Structure formats: C-alpha cells, structure tokens
Amino acid sequence: MIDLQDYGFNASETDIPSGLVPARITQVHRERYQAVCPYGEVDARLKGTYQRQVTDRDDYPAVGDFVLIRYNESGTSLITERLPRRSKFSRSDFSGHAAGYVKTIREQVVAANFDTVFILSSLNQDFNLSRISRYLTLARQSGGTPVIILSKADLCEDCEAQVSATKEMAHDVDVIALSSLTGRGLDRLRPYLQPAATIVCLGMSGVGKSSLLNALAGTALMEVKAIRETDARGRHTTTHRQLFQLPSGVMVIDTPGMREMGLWDADSGISASFADIEVIIARCRFSNCQHNTEPGCAIQAALADQSLPQEQWDSYLAQRREAAFVARRIKPPGHRT
C-alpha cells in the first residue's frame, strides 16, 4: 500500500465517502488520466456524471490535483470528484501576441497543489528579463513560492550582470545561478527539496529543466536534447506535464517548454511584482494621472532621474494592458465551447 501523505495528501482535511479512495493526478492525456492512489499507479477517466457537471475547463483535473476515485483493480478507475486546490498555476490561451480578433479567452491550468515554483531561464544569449517577469507575475498569483533559477552558469563567463538585473527586478524572490553540469548552486535548492513537498518547474525549451531534474534525482530521469547553436534555444524534451517523486521524497511537476505565457487573472500578481512602481504611482498629484504630460507625475519624474528603469515601466504597462484585455474577453460562466 502507498501512503498518499508521502504525496502531499492531508487526510484530515477530506471527508472520503465509502467506496472511494483519494488519488493524485500524475499525468493528463486528453480524456485519460494517470494517478497514484493507495493501491499504486492507476489509469483513470472522469465519471460520466462528473463530466456532465463540468462547465469550465478549470473544473477538470490537472497534474498535481487530488481527486477521489472509484478504484478498479482490473481496469480503468473512475474519477468522481476533484478536491479543492491550495494553489494553481494558470495561464490564458491568449499569449499576448496573437493576430486578429480574439472573441473569448479561456483559462489553462498548468499545475495544481504545489508549494514552490521554479522559474528557469538560461544564462545564454536567450536570457530575457521581460519573459522572466511574466513568469514571476503568474507565479506570485498562483499561491506558491517563486524561485528564479538561472541555469547553465558554466556557459557564462561573467553572469553577475544578469544575476544582479534579475535580483533588482524580482526584489524579495530568491535568485539562484547554477549549473547542473558542474553542480554549482545546487546546494542552494536544498531548503525547497523537502519530503512530501511539491515543486512545479517552468521555463522555455532548452533552459535546462530536464538536466536539473536529472541532477537532483542523481539519475537520468529525463531525456536531454542539445540546444541550437544559432540562437541557443532548445528543442522540446518534455512533451506533456507529469508529476514524479524524487528519491528525496519531494514531488516535481515538469512541464513542456512554454515560450508564450498568457496572463490570467493576474492583477494581484502584477501588483506584487511591481509593488515599487505602484508606490510611485500613488505619489502622482492626480489620482487619474495617465503618466504622460500631467503636472506632478511621479512616474515621469522617476523615469527622468532614472530611479525607475524604462524597461521596468514598459514591462508593467504591457502586463497591465494584457491583463485588462484578458479580463474583457473571459468566457462567461457556464460557456462550454
């Protein structure tokens, strides 16, 4: 028998009806699921009554979700209920760069019930602070603790400038430069690698997620592919989201590389990521200041004396515009298509 508490399940918080057992979703393949339950790994699908009750994509189980199943020892088990989430990482299915008119925008739940979000970006020519900022905004929104990991430090002769710029942007978030090849920085991850805790790993293809997981596991769990020399971008290794347990007992949710990360319900995440900017905005003379030519604009003053970097202000405006755009086009409740 498997103790599901080793997978982060808290039995004291759940009333389990007779005939059902708890399980945790480890993989999702369209309408088919894989899960771990007290009897081991099982294949599962949604019970028909559950499917008929679902009105939003968010209601479907995602990798990391805890569910109740009717266990079938000789076939496919039935998922009867998704249990409440303590955290979730969501993005919109609009990336912010789509062409043409977008009628409705929907939520895509990437992972659920995690404690920590590892945001990976490699220290090569594809290093992009604005992209890290977008990941960070959604990580702050998710309910997990964000950690920024700057990978492939062995390929960067002098990475201090990138590390310093990331720390300045991320404020109180832990920023760790490491190399899975040499082992540099891996010891700084130890506080997050606790038994029964869950980490979700996010980042583009080629940033070194698979190499990091192999280094943490001490074995080749994941296939590693070489990056392209022309632009330092990787080829997809992970093809679907999956949860697995490392020898230390920590759970990791690995995700395919995501170049575009559309914001979803991100207002509080933006406020947390750009708290210093919103403090400056509060000092403007007029409450409806547009931050252009108005007298007494604290933003324009901060840009002029360079206490507020133009890149940071541009990133804030871009995320606020996208969040407002998404909010106007969220599909109405109960809309199935």
Side-chain angles (χ1 to χ4, degrees), residues 34 78 108 128 137 144 187 214 227 311:
Q34 285 184 276
L78 293 179
Q108 293 180 340
N128 186 307
T137 290
D187 59 320
N214 289 344
I227 62 173
E311 181 182 14

Side-chain angles (χ1 to χ4, degrees), residues 117-133 135-136 147-156 159 162-163 166 169 175-180 201-209 212 232 258-259:
V117 183
F118 280 0
I119 302 169
L120 276 79
S121 179
S122 55
L123 286 165
N124 56 21
Q125 59 260 45
D126 202 41
F127 176 82
N128 186 307
L129 204 58
S130 294
R131 187 184 303 122
I132 297 172
S133 175
Y135 275 99
L136 182 57
V147 177
I148 298 175
I149 296 176
L150 302 179
S151 62
K152 305 187 180 182
D154 56 293
L155 301 180
C156 184
C159 59
Q162 292 98 316
V163 172
T166 304
M169 178 273 294
V175 178
I176 301 171
L178 59 76
S179 168
S180 300
C201 290
L202 303 165
M204 290 176 52
S205 298
V207 297
K209 295 196 305 296
L212 174 60
M258 293 177 285
R259 182 162 190 82

